[in-house]
Amino acid sequence: MGFRTGSYAKVWAVEPKSDTNTTVRISISRKNKQTGEYEQDFSGFVGFVGTAAAKKAACLKEGDRIKLGDVDVTTSYNGEKKITYTNFKCFSFEVEGDAPAAAATNDPQPAVDSGEVDDSRLPF
């Protein structure tokens, strides 16, 4: 599958850099249908960029599995060193096994025009 949106990855190391950047070492593998063995498609360091993604990534632990959301790959060339650098970035992801935020609450949500507002859940 490789490094792309929708890929499932395994987390190997997490290193928070700042409030907006966390570096995570991940790997992505696929199963070879002929041999039954898993083959690695991608392994590397990915920058989880943005306040929400970096904060969420900082909470990851070794062994977690994630599903990549919005990703980007950029390259830059250093003329003095004559080296091309490839940077992998992730702007959103989901942790495997986490329920979406809307499904996390079991309380039924009131309809917009249901009449009186139930104030029993208000903090004051």
Side-chain angles (χ1 to χ4, degrees), residues 49-97:
V49 182
T51 307
K55 183 176 180 181
K56 189 175 175 182
C59 297
L60 291 172
K61 295 175 180 48
E62 181 180 333
D64 284 348
R65 285 184 39 86
I66 61 173
K67 182 178 180 181
L68 300 177
D70 297 325
V71 295
D72 189 24
V73 180
T74 59
T75 58
S76 60
Y77 180 74
N78 185 331
E80 294 175 6
K81 296 181 180 180
K82 297 184 180 182
I83 297 176
T84 300
Y85 295 98
T86 304
N87 301 304
F88 299 93
K89 298 175 190 168
C90 180
F91 302 99
S92 65
F93 68 96
E94 297 174 15
V95 178
E96 188 177 75

Side-chain angles (χ1 to χ4, degrees), residues 31-70:
K31 189 172 187 176
N32 184 327
K33 293 180 181 179
Q34 294 175 340
T35 64
E37 299 288 321
Y38 283 92
E39 298 175 353
Q40 186 169 283
D41 278 348
F42 173 83
S43 178
F45 292 91
V46 178
F48 285 73
V49 182
T51 307
K55 183 176 180 181
K56 189 175 175 182
C59 297
L60 291 172
K61 295 175 180 48
E62 181 180 333
D64 284 348
R65 285 184 39 86
I66 61 173
K67 182 178 180 181
L68 300 177
D70 297 325

